[in-house]
Amino acid sequence: FNEMLLLPAMFDGVKLAAVATILYIIVRCLNLKSPTAPPEIIYQDTLLSHYLLKTCPMLTKEYIPPLLWGKSGHIQTVLYGKMGRVNTPTPCGVRMFLPMQDGATATFDLFETIGSHTTGDDITMVICPGIGNHSEKNYIRTFVDYSQRQGYRCAVLNHLGALPNVELTSPRMFTYGCTWEFGAMVGYIKRTYPQTLLVVVGFSLGGNIVCKFLGENQSNQDRVLCCVSVCQGYSALRAQETFLQWDQCRRLYNFMLAENMKKIILSHRDSLLAMQCSNIGDGELNRLYAATSLMQIDDSIMRKFHGYDSLREYYEKESCVHYIHKITVPLLLLNSLDDPLVHPSLLAVARTLAEKMPNVIFALTQHGGHMGFFEGAVLFPQPLTWMDKVIVEYTNAVCRWEKKCLLISDTGQ
């Protein structure tokens, strides 16, 4: 009889233990106990750096993500990947087509400014999106709309083969570090708007492309005010090892990115097989079907677009790590410590660069995931992210600095 009386109490204890366990798992998974903090800033002690940090308060103040889920890098990353942004605007632009020397056709979308810039100057943002992305992605549309209203003309590269309704005109697609299409877009903007100054912005894979482009040739930095790179990994050769690891579910993200790349490549299957001089045949496509990682796709398909003999050579020559130190314009490198795609060890490149180069600022947030950086009070995120606002605030500060230096120079003469 006494044992029967104890049973309800035992069940209550089990329920309490189960609830406690669930709450513990939620707290751990959502990283709720992690404190908010300002970004870690690595920079050289220069007049420019002091001016930029003084006039960019977002770089020195706390980044506060949404309370319930914003401290989880996974949720931030998944929301970016699945939703992009909330209440996405639809900026009105014109699609441009540029014939390339090898027969390819580069495309980009051009968005004229809506407001006037604080300096009164003509400034164009040349933007390179992430892997397999284009101007129609929600995060790009949100950033473009915000930048237009701050007085920037925007030119957004559509990665070769990424747009579903644009056919390939040569037997190749975009790759990890090919700068040809981005260079063609920048050249068009310089010729069409001879008075404009440029702000270069790259997201994720686009960050690698823009940094490599600027470092490849000093002339590529002509009329460039500054460059901003967001959430890139800096070295594909180092990243390939971390992308096969299961910590932070990186191997799972690798698989999902590979599946998306498969869809993009296979959407151009007939074009790639039909064209003469194509390095892609049935054998490569069969290996593509079986691929479960980006590395396998890069080895069977992507490296062959440019004739690399090995995957190692492809990663070595297409990474910006060998070019980024040649950039002399102001450069902001932005990463998040809880980015599940970019292993913390890869950030040593950015940290070392900022410690040695007077033009570089490296900002590392505690939270934000991969390309998330959502802001909000408790549950619902705001349409604009911390990332959108900090890029424009930084570029505004650089523009004012350049204007100030020009005025001083003219006064001195």
Side-chain angles (χ1 to χ4, degrees):
F1 179 74
N2 289 336
E3 291 178 353
M4 291 180 65
L5 289 176
L6 288 172
L7 282 176
M10 289 175 61
F11 284 130
D12 288 342
V14 170
K15 290 179 183 177
L16 285 172
V19 170
T21 301
I22 292 170
L23 288 174
Y24 174 77
I25 292 171
I26 290 174
V27 169
R28 286 295 300 272
C29 289
L30 296 182
N31 207 19
L32 293 177
K33 293 181 71 176
S34 174
T36 58
E40 180 187 1
I41 307 294
I42 295 91
Y43 64 97
Q44 286 271 298
D45 188 10
T46 65
L47 287 175
L48 173 60
S49 296
H50 283 286
Y51 177 84
L52 293 177
L53 293 176
K54 182 181 178 181
T55 52
C56 298
M58 293 190 71
L59 285 176
T60 53
K61 291 182 179 179
E62 283 185 333
Y63 158 54
I64 303 176
L67 180 63
L68 288 183
W69 51 266
K71 295 177 182 178
S72 167
H74 294 294
I75 295 180
Q76 290 248 22
T77 302
V78 169
L79 280 180
Y80 147 72
K82 293 296 183 183
M83 184 176 64
R85 297 291 181 257
V86 296
N87 300 326
T88 308
T90 308
C92 184
V94 178
R95 181 150 297 163
M96 311 298 293
F97 296 82
L98 300 177
M100 307 290 290
Q101 289 186 347
D102 67 341
T105 303
T107 71
F108 70 93
D109 285 23
L110 186 61
F111 304 88
E112 289 296 338
T113 177
I114 295 175
S116 58
H117 195 267
T118 55
T119 63
D121 292 332
D122 183 313
I123 305 173
T124 304
M125 280 195 177
V126 283
I127 302 165
C128 192
I131 183 171
N133 290 175
H134 44 72
S135 61
E136 297 173 11
K137 292 294 182 179
N138 285 352
Y139 77 97
I140 293 292
R141 287 163 52 190
T142 298
F143 178 68
V144 165
D145 180 77
Y146 180 59
S147 300
Q148 283 180 290
R149 296 179 189 281
Q150 301 302 310
Y152 294 94
R153 179 188 298 109
C154 294
V156 183
L157 181 70
N158 300 309
H159 284 300
L160 197 61
L163 282 170
N165 56 343
V166 177
E167 292 291 330
L168 295 177
T169 58
S170 77
R172 70 175 179 89
M173 296 173 56
F174 75 93
T175 57
Y176 175 66
C178 179
T179 60
W180 296 352
E181 292 81 50
F182 187 75
M185 179 180 76
V186 170
Y188 176 90
I189 295 297
K190 285 182 176 180
R191 291 190 304 272
T192 308
Y193 305 96
Q195 301 303 316
T196 197
L197 300 172
L198 303 181
V199 170
V200 179
V201 180
F203 298 106
S204 193
L205 171 140
N208 177 74
I209 289 176
V210 301
C211 288
K212 181 170 177 279
F213 169 75
L214 291 178
E216 281 177 334
N217 194 315
Q218 186 63 37
S219 64
N220 290 345
Q221 299 179 49
D222 292 347
R223 291 164 55 186
V224 173
L225 289 170
C226 64
C227 175
V228 182
S229 163
V230 184
C231 288
Q232 71 150 306
Y234 304 100
S235 172
L237 196 60
R238 301 179 194 179
Q240 68 166 334
E241 298 175 4
T242 68
F243 241 32
L244 293 173
Q245 299 167 357
W246 280 99
D247 68 297
Q248 292 294 309
C249 301
R250 205 169 292 107
R251 183 64 181 87
L252 179 60
Y253 286 108
N254 188 356
F255 174 78
M256 292 189 293
L257 287 169
E259 289 300 302
N260 187 54
M261 275 302 302
K262 275 187 193 180
K263 292 177 183 176
I264 295 174
I265 296 170
L266 291 173
S267 70
H268 298 286
R269 180 182 184 277
D270 293 340
S271 298
L272 292 172
L273 287 175
M275 293 182 190
Q276 292 182 344
C277 303
S278 176
N279 293 326
I280 308 302
D282 288 326
E284 284 76 17
L285 290 177
N286 289 335
R287 285 191 287 276
L288 173 66
Y289 284 115
T292 60
S293 71
L294 285 177
M295 285 70 76
Q296 291 172 329
I297 293 175
D298 288 342
D299 194 27
S300 60
I301 302 288
M302 309 307 282
R303 70 174 176 85
K304 296 183 179 180
F305 287 138
H306 293 282
Y308 290 110
D309 293 328
S310 67
L311 186 62
R312 182 182 182 86
E313 182 189 15
Y314 170 66
Y315 285 157
E316 191 74 32
K317 292 188 176 179
E318 297 249 322
S319 292
C320 74
V321 67
H322 304 297
Y323 302 90
I324 196 169
H325 63 281
K326 297 178 183 179
I327 298 176
T328 56
V329 299
L331 172 62
L332 174 64
L333 304 174
L334 178 61
N335 286 92
S336 172
L337 195 58
D338 68 352
D339 186 336
L341 273 64
V342 179
H343 192 276
S345 64
L346 301 175
L347 304 180
V349 173
R351 186 179 295 274
T352 301
L353 197 72
E355 289 172 347
K356 294 181 178 180
M357 300 282 288
N359 61 307
V360 180
I361 293 178
F362 174 45
L364 180 64
T365 61
Q366 291 294 311
H367 310 109
H370 188 78
M371 297 286 295
F373 298 105
F374 290 98
E375 289 185 308
V378 179
L379 181 61
F380 298 105
Q382 298 173 1
L384 274 179
T385 68
W386 180 87
M387 175 189 79
D388 299 318
K389 290 184 279 190
V390 80
I391 293 173
V392 170
E393 187 176 76
Y394 172 83
T395 55
N396 281 344
V398 172
C399 293
R400 287 193 295 269
W401 169 267
E402 291 294 332
K403 191 83 169 180
K404 181 180 176 183
C405 291
L406 185 62
L407 288 172
I408 292 173
S409 175
D410 290 343
T411 303
Q413 290 178 352

